[in-house]
Structures are given as structure tokens and as C-alpha cells.
Amino acid sequence: MAESNPMLSIDALTFLTAPQALEQGAAAIRAGETVFDLGGVQAADSSGVALLLAWQRRALDAGHRLTFVNVPDNVQKLAALYGVDTLLPQA
């Protein structure tokens, strides 16, 4: 079981929170984090899918691959709808 990521304390993955969430995730990636626990996310929209993809891209650029834990249901469904769910591995 993956442990919660203490550097990633995000409660929303929405259009309004995307810039701050992107930087917070990027900082966690720079610190070597590879598991993002999204269990604290209370609100998410399609921007959440874009954020997960952006974080994954940054991790891959750094030579790592992220795993996501507790991804909100609506983000999972949107990722599947957009055909990008296979790019977002979950534990």
C-alpha cells in the first residue's frame, strides 16, 4: 500500500486551483516523490485530468513515473472518457 504524500496537501483539482496545484505537485516531484495520494481532494473537474497529466509529464522528464492513489471518481471517469486513463497509473 502506498503511503500518503506529505508534500501534496491539495483539496481541490479545479480550474481555480490548477496553477497552485501544478506548482505544489511539481515541487513534490522535484523532491523525489513518486506516489501522489489524492484522498484529500474534495472537488475536481476536468482540470484535474490535465493536472495529473502535467504532473506525470514532469515526472517523466525527471526520469520517474508517478502513481496516483485515491483518485476522485469523476477524474477517473473523465480520464477514461478522454482516453488518457492508461497514462495515469493507480495503485
Side-chain angles (χ1 to χ4, degrees):
M1 170 98 178
E3 290 189 26
S4 176
N5 182 336
M7 294 189 65
L8 196 68
S9 58
I10 295 173
D11 62 359
L13 298 174
T14 64
F15 178 76
L16 292 175
T17 64
Q20 180 182 5
L22 179 63
E23 183 48 42
Q24 191 173 358
I29 292 164
R30 286 191 300 271
E33 297 291 339
T34 59
V35 177
F36 281 19
D37 185 344
L38 304 176
V41 173
Q42 301 298 311
D45 59 24
S46 59
S47 297
V49 175
L51 281 166
L52 271 59
L53 290 169
W55 289 334
Q56 190 67 271
R57 204 169 27 252
R58 288 181 182 216
L60 291 171
D61 287 346
H64 305 289
R65 185 170 176 88
L66 297 180
T67 300
F68 298 100
V69 180
N70 298 315
V71 177
D73 286 340
N74 64 326
V75 173
Q76 289 181 44
K77 289 175 184 175
L78 286 169
L81 177 68
Y82 302 152
V84 297
D85 51 324
T86 59
L87 301 174
L88 305 170
Q90 298 183 46

